[in-house]
Amino acid sequence: MSNTILIIALLVVAVVIFAVVAARRGKATPQLGADDDLKLPKAQPSPPKRAKREKKPAAAKPKEKKPAAEGPPSAPEPPEDDDEVPVSEGEEEQPSSAPPSDEADDEAAAGPPPAPISRRKADVAGLRRGLKKVRQAGGFFGRLKELFAGKKELDPSIVEEIEEILLTSDVGVKTTEALLEAIREGLDRNELDDTDMVWDALRERASELLDISGGGPLRNYGSPTVVLLVGVNGTGKTTTIGKLATRFATEDRQVLLVAGDTFRAAAVAQLKAWGKRVGCEVFAGKDGADPASVVFDAIEHGTETGADIILVDTAGRLHTKANLMDELKKVARTAGKALKGAPHETLLVVDGTTGQNAVQQAEMFSEAMDLSGIVLCKLDGTAKGGVVLAIAAEQDLPVRYIGVGERPQDLRDFDAEEFVEAMLGQGDDAAEAA
């Protein structure tokens, strides 16, 4: 009897449990279905995403329509629009904010070069005085003048005689051939009837070889414009920096000199002497400091103090030493980290009295560095002068300045026509000197 009652009780409990479970399943099913159909939790994140998309165009403002629509609703937005107008105009035709800066730089590079920082008036007579050794009897011009003076009629051997003078005046083999090519063609076509025509053809061809795009004085890339001067020891880098600083300071430009040659105390002292003479600041690190770090700190300092031009002196580098050239590359890279686009100019300073060695230096440095031009110093100390033609023609490097004396004003802007007229022109030196 007791067993029968226990079995009945268990059955009752089982039925109750079954009923409760069934009831719960019946209530859960419609709730899950409703959730699946409505998907309310997934619909909530969508508004924030749309809001973010609207904020991006408002910040970059590549189009003018959105700022116009968003400007009126709130007062704080118009000042932001005013602040960003120059950016939106510069990026108006660009798809995004990052690429436009690169494309704008490319377009600027493809366009006309920046205007010169300063330019002096042509002075052929003054330049001739600086090149007087070239124009004397035993010099480049003097020997050519003697050759042509004694000939009333053209002799077929005149080309060989001109070639000998050119080769012994540091013009170089390649440049000599380039100069004589036009003369040979003119003689073959009977277009050159007398020595004056041959002389004019020689001068015209020399002007063409020297007239390379980018020649002449430094360009103005805004403040500060960073100029790196490189070269082997003894070419006149520090003196050239001092002469450039003198010119710019007299034009009321704020100049900062940087003693990047940290290995020679004498170089730092010489630069400080120029700074004191000119009246401009000299930035120098500790003896033996890393030149790249000194240049980095100097450019940051010049930017903060409002310098117009930063002239960087560097240690003399033997162009045959790869490790030293690598250090120079590091200085250039570091300058670019301190200021975008720096160095804006990299000038190789060479000694004009060293002849073909100067040509070799130009070749090696141009392979290692992105040179923007050449400064030829000490041309007043040589009777040859043909190295100017050789470097410009063979290395395709524009000449920016030439040094024809010790005074600051003797560092002259290079102009191809003026130089050829001063060196090869048949003017009367005595009359011009008077």
Side-chain angles (χ1 to χ4, degrees):
M1 185 66 180
S2 58
N3 290 336
T4 303
I5 295 173
L6 179 61
I7 291 172
I8 294 172
L10 291 174
L11 290 174
V12 171
V13 171
V15 171
V16 172
I17 292 173
F18 180 83
V20 171
V21 171
R24 288 183 178 180
R25 286 182 180 177
K27 291 180 179 180
T29 302
Q31 289 177 356
L32 292 174
D35 289 345
D36 289 340
D37 292 339
L38 294 175
K39 297 183 181 179
L40 293 178
K42 295 183 179 180
Q44 293 175 356
S46 57
K49 290 183 179 179
R50 292 179 183 176
K52 289 181 181 179
R53 291 178 182 175
E54 291 176 357
K55 288 179 182 178
K56 287 182 180 179
K61 294 187 177 14
K63 299 180 181 179
E64 296 182 357
K65 293 181 179 179
K66 290 186 178 180
E70 296 174 1
S74 60
E77 290 182 0
E80 294 179 359
D81 292 344
D82 293 339
D83 293 339
E84 297 184 2
V85 165
V87 177
S88 63
E89 290 178 357
E91 299 176 351
E92 205 167 358
E93 298 178 358
Q94 308 300 336
S96 62
S97 57
S101 60
D102 297 335
E103 295 178 6
D105 291 342
D106 295 340
E107 290 177 3
I117 294 178
S118 65
R119 185 186 294 277
R120 290 182 173 174
K121 294 181 179 179
D123 181 15
V124 174
L127 186 54
R128 277 185 181 167
R129 289 192 293 271
L131 296 172
K132 63 181 180 180
K133 288 189 177 182
V134 174
R135 295 181 62 81
Q136 289 174 352
F140 182 19
F141 169 84
R143 295 168 63 195
L144 285 173
K145 185 176 181 180
E146 182 181 359
L147 171 64
F148 286 106
K151 294 183 181 293
K152 295 183 179 179
E153 296 182 359
L154 287 178
D155 189 323
S157 64
I158 193 173
V159 176
E160 284 72 20
E161 294 180 78
I162 296 174
E163 181 178 17
E164 181 182 355
I165 294 174
L166 294 176
L167 289 175
T168 55
S169 298
D170 291 333
V171 175
V173 176
K174 293 181 180 179
T175 310
T176 296
E177 287 300 317
L179 288 168
L180 294 179
E181 181 181 2
I183 296 177
R184 289 195 182 99
E185 291 179 356
L187 291 173
D188 292 341
R189 298 173 183 172
N190 296 321
E191 295 175 352
L192 305 178
D193 299 331
D194 54 36
T195 55
D196 287 340
M197 297 183 71
V198 173
W199 188 279
D200 290 341
L202 181 63
R203 290 175 53 193
E204 181 180 357
R205 184 60 178 139
S207 296
E208 291 175 355
L209 293 176
L210 290 172
D211 191 15
I212 301 175
S213 175
L218 291 170
R219 305 298 194 260
N220 188 351
Y221 294 86
S223 297
T225 293
V226 181
V227 183
L228 193 68
L229 285 93
V230 302
V232 302
N233 288 316
T235 56
K237 292 188 304 297
T238 308
T239 301
T240 298
I241 288 177
K243 291 179 178 180
L244 287 173
T246 301
R247 172 194 287 199
F248 298 143
T250 57
E251 298 170 352
D252 295 328
R253 301 181 187 276
Q254 185 173 337
V255 183
L256 175 64
L257 307 184
V258 182
D261 186 355
T262 60
F263 303 106
R264 289 193 311 122
V268 179
Q270 183 183 4
L271 197 65
K272 287 182 177 180
W274 271 109
K276 185 176 180 180
R277 184 188 312 175
V278 175
C280 60
E281 183 182 3
V282 177
F283 190 99
K286 296 180 180 179
D287 293 343
D290 179 24
S293 64
V294 172
V295 171
F296 183 91
D297 293 340
I299 293 176
E300 284 196 331
H301 174 73
T303 303
E304 293 172 356
T305 57
D308 297 313
I309 303 164
I310 300 177
L311 301 175
V312 182
D313 192 13
T314 60
R317 305 290 178 183
L318 292 175
H319 52 289
T320 55
K321 301 293 184 180
N323 59 327
L324 297 179
M325 297 298 286
D326 289 339
E327 290 181 7
L328 196 56
K329 294 177 187 178
K330 178 184 175 182
V331 171
R333 289 195 305 269
T334 304
K337 294 178 181 178
L339 178 66
K340 184 178 181 181
H344 303 98
E345 298 265 11
T346 301
L347 302 182
L348 172 64
V349 182
V350 296
D351 183 345
T353 64
T354 58
Q356 288 300 302
N357 189 29
V359 179
Q360 184 183 11
Q361 292 171 24
E363 180 180 1
M364 299 297 290
F365 271 89
S366 61
E367 290 178 358
M369 304 288 296
D370 185 15
L371 299 178
S372 59
I374 297 285
V375 179
L376 271 163
C377 297
K378 308 177 185 179
L379 282 178
D380 57 314
T382 179
K384 298 179 178 180
V387 66
V388 182
L389 290 161
I391 291 178
E394 295 183 21
Q395 302 304 320
D396 196 29
L397 283 172
V399 181
R400 312 302 294 275
Y401 297 96
I402 53 175
V404 291
E406 297 297 328
R407 303 174 303 170
Q409 57 266 38
D410 290 329
L411 183 68
R412 294 176 172 269
D413 302 346
F414 182 80
D415 179 86
E417 292 185 5
E418 180 188 22
F419 181 80
V420 171
E421 179 61 29
M423 185 170 66
L424 299 178
Q426 300 190 55
D428 188 348
D429 291 356
E432 291 178 352

